[in-house]
């Protein structure tokens, strides 16, 4: 059997109500809907001690983990602002950048590998790659890693 990581994925219905309320209390605090832990726990009818006991150990599994993962690989000129322009295209398409790896430029050209998380509501990866490729200083954008569906 593999090494124990200390993490589990559990369906909501298997989680005790107090733990769900701790997550809700954290959301209330983060959103500013309540200003103090006292307000949050009173609103959700849990004890302060329960909140403090579990607050660092339970987190919501975010929907942002859904979608498809792609990697864009391309070469680009080592020019100030060009990477920023590429990242702006990615942001405008609604994709989430997971990793960026850029080689040290050789003869003024760097190789980039950008891993993206693309949700269903985001724009087309093919259109995004085409927009990046149209930028002066960017050479042939390749898309790989298609179809890694986490949802």
């Amino acid at each position: 059997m593999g090494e124990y990581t200390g993490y589990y994925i559990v369906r909501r219905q298997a989680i005790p109500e107090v733990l769900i309320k701790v997550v809700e209390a954290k959301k209330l605090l983060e959103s500013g809907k309540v200003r103090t832990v006292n307000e949050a726990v009173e609103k959700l009818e849990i004890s302060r001690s329960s909140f403090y006991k579990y607050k660092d150990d339970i987190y919501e599994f975010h929907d942002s983990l859904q979608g498809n993962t792609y990697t864009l690989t391309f070469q680009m000129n080592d020019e100030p602002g060009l990477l920023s322009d590429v990242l702006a295209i990615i942001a405008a398409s609604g994709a989430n950048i997971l990793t960026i790896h850029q080689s040290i430029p050789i003869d003024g050209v760097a190789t980039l590998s950008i891993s993206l998380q693309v949700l269903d509501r985001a724009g087309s990866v093919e259109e995004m790659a085409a927009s990046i490729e149209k930028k002066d200083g960017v050479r042939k954008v390749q898309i790989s890693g298609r179809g890694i569906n986490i949802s």
Side-chain angles (χ1 to χ4, degrees):
M1 189 171 234
E3 190 175 318
Y4 172 70
T5 63
Y7 293 92
Y8 298 89
I9 295 178
V10 181
R11 291 189 187 277
R12 182 182 174 109
Q13 65 261 23
I15 299 173
E17 184 179 357
V18 67
L19 296 179
I20 300 298
K21 288 185 175 186
V22 168
V23 171
E24 291 174 14
K26 289 168 50 173
K27 285 182 187 176
L28 287 173
L29 288 162
E30 289 170 9
S31 70
K33 291 181 180 175
V34 298
R35 292 186 313 135
T36 66
V37 170
N38 260 356
E39 288 179 73
V41 298
E42 284 178 11
K43 185 172 187 162
L44 296 167
E45 299 178 344
I46 60 172
S47 69
R48 283 173 42 93
S49 62
S50 292
F51 176 82
Y52 284 112
K53 181 176 181 178
Y54 298 115
K55 73 177 182 65
D56 295 327
D57 294 319
I58 185 158
Y59 299 91
E60 189 171 36
F61 186 78
H62 295 284
D63 287 340
S64 65
L65 294 178
Q66 297 176 351
N68 292 302
T69 302
Y70 298 89
T71 300
L72 303 180
T73 307
F74 53 95
Q75 291 186 322
M76 62 183 268
N77 294 344
D78 183 25
E79 298 174 3
L82 185 54
L83 177 57
S84 179
D85 292 345
V86 168
L87 298 178
I89 292 168
I90 293 169
S93 77
N96 182 35
I97 296 172
L98 301 173
T99 65
I100 301 174
H101 180 267
Q102 178 178 330
S103 69
I104 296 173
I106 298 174
D107 294 328
V109 177
T111 300
L112 269 83
S113 174
I114 301 178
S115 295
L116 308 168
Q117 176 186 50
V118 180
L119 303 177
D120 292 339
R121 64 183 178 267
S124 159
V125 176
E126 290 81 5
E127 289 175 13
M128 175 183 21
S131 294
I132 292 170
E133 199 169 72
K134 287 179 186 173
K135 288 291 302 171
D136 284 337
V138 175
R139 296 180 179 91
K140 189 173 180 180
V141 178
Q142 296 179 327
I143 305 170
S144 61
R146 302 180 66 145
I148 301 170
N149 196 333
I150 301 171
S151 59

